[in-house]
Amino acid sequence: MSGTPHARRTVLRAAALAPAAGLGLTACSSGEAGNRSAPTAPVDLGASDEVKVGASKLYPDQHVVVSRITEDRYTAYSTICTHAGCPINKLEGHKLICQCHGSQFDATNGKVLHEPAVEPLAELPVKVTDGKIVAGPAKKD
């Protein structure tokens, strides 16, 4: 009978930890049931003057970050983390922070600033047309 209290304790401990394990799995998901990919066609992101020279702007719904390097030079990158495919929804200055595992990227050049990601963000073509920022690959005919 000496084994019974230990077995019971183990079962109770496992039952108590199960909800915490579920929370850990939830933290690794994006919380989105929808699109988890960069644009596959050009996306109109709005007025070009919304991104000031020397600044970056996150477009979370389109999974794009745009940086305005000079008056007429912009860069754009996918904000899908290269570590686990989570959409990145946090921008501090020029630093993108993935909420899933803590990877960090430079919004101006896509380079990894902090692991676990080791691959840079995917660069997207970007242009300004009629005062609007358009990012993403050209439409295929």
Side-chain angles (χ1 to χ4, degrees), residues 50-126:
E50 289 182 10
V51 183
K52 303 297 179 206
V53 175
S56 296
K57 182 173 180 182
L58 179 62
Y59 298 87
D61 292 341
Q62 293 82 13
H63 304 300
V64 175
V65 65
V66 173
S67 298
R68 191 169 184 179
I69 308 303
T70 65
E71 186 66 33
D72 58 354
R73 183 172 166 248
Y74 295 77
T75 59
Y77 291 88
S78 164
T79 57
I80 301 299
C81 182
T82 59
H83 171 249
C86 295
I88 301 170
N89 294 316
K90 186 173 184 181
L91 176 67
E92 293 178 354
H94 294 296
K95 182 172 42 175
L96 290 161
I97 303 166
C98 182
Q99 68 280 4
C100 289
H101 302 105
S103 295
Q104 297 178 8
F105 301 88
D106 185 321
T108 64
N109 60 26
K111 291 183 180 177
V112 175
L113 299 174
H114 188 273
E115 295 179 352
V118 294
E119 296 293 322
L121 296 173
E123 187 170 7
L124 299 171
V126 62

